[in-house]
Amino acid sequence: MLSSLLLTCVARCTSPISYLQLRFWRDYVHEESSLMDSYTTKHAKQLAERNVKSFFYKTPPEEIITPSNKDWEKISSLYTFSTNDNYYSTLHRVMEDCQEADNGMIRLTSVKSNDSGGRAPAVLSFVDDGSV
């Protein structure tokens, strides 16, 4: 247990990522996850209500825009940290890399770090542990 504590301390002390940046990153991941849960619950409820109303009232269903399977697959992949493209999550990477949306609007990159370096620091292990 002592060696584990020592390794954690050394990894954090030698990390190029500051404590505040790491804290921001964890907060971002938590907020994104909470918002995603909230939005998916709300959207699923709207879709279910639309289908039930359409069934009982025998009316054509109103249009509700839902992301395609391809879009869901893009944001569902495991996010791995890269010092070349510092995004905070898979969703962040997909949205920032999206140059031209389906509606024809051009999206420019906004909050991407310009830092470049070697491999991912050990202190960022929380990114790949499945909690993202």
Side-chain angles (χ1 to χ4, degrees):
M1 186 163 43
L2 184 60
S3 64
S4 176
L5 176 65
L6 184 62
L7 285 173
T8 301
C9 290
V10 169
R12 289 190 179 174
C13 289
T14 59
S15 172
I17 307 296
S18 72
Y19 170 75
L20 291 175
Q21 184 179 6
L22 184 62
R23 186 171 161 196
F24 172 80
W25 197 338
R26 286 184 179 156
D27 290 345
Y28 174 84
V29 169
H30 176 72
E31 281 299 316
E32 183 183 86
S33 178
S34 296
L35 286 172
M36 184 61 95
D37 290 344
S38 173
Y39 274 74
T40 54
T41 300
K42 184 174 126 183
H43 191 76
K45 182 177 181 178
Q46 288 175 344
L47 186 60
E49 283 178 359
R50 178 203 77 161
N51 292 339
V52 169
K53 285 179 184 177
S54 179
F55 175 75
F56 280 106
Y57 297 121
K58 302 293 184 202
T59 59
E62 60 190 52
E63 184 177 347
I64 293 181
I65 299 172
T66 300
S68 68
N69 286 343
K70 186 178 178 182
D71 291 337
W72 284 109
E73 287 173 9
K74 283 181 188 175
I75 67 164
S76 296
S77 65
L78 180 64
Y79 176 71
T80 54
F81 178 79
S82 168
T83 54
N84 295 332
D85 296 322
N86 291 337
Y87 298 110
Y88 295 111
S89 69
T90 303
L91 180 62
H92 184 210
R93 180 187 44 129
V94 169
M95 292 297 102
E96 293 297 329
D97 283 349
C98 178
Q99 291 299 316
E100 190 169 323
D102 292 336
N103 60 7
M105 292 178 59
I106 294 178
R107 182 178 198 63
L108 301 174
T109 57
S110 60
V111 276
K112 189 168 96 170
S113 176
N114 292 329
D115 252 358
S116 64
R119 56 190 225 9
V123 73
L124 296 176
S125 63
F126 76 94
V127 174
D128 292 332
D129 69 0
S131 64
V132 178

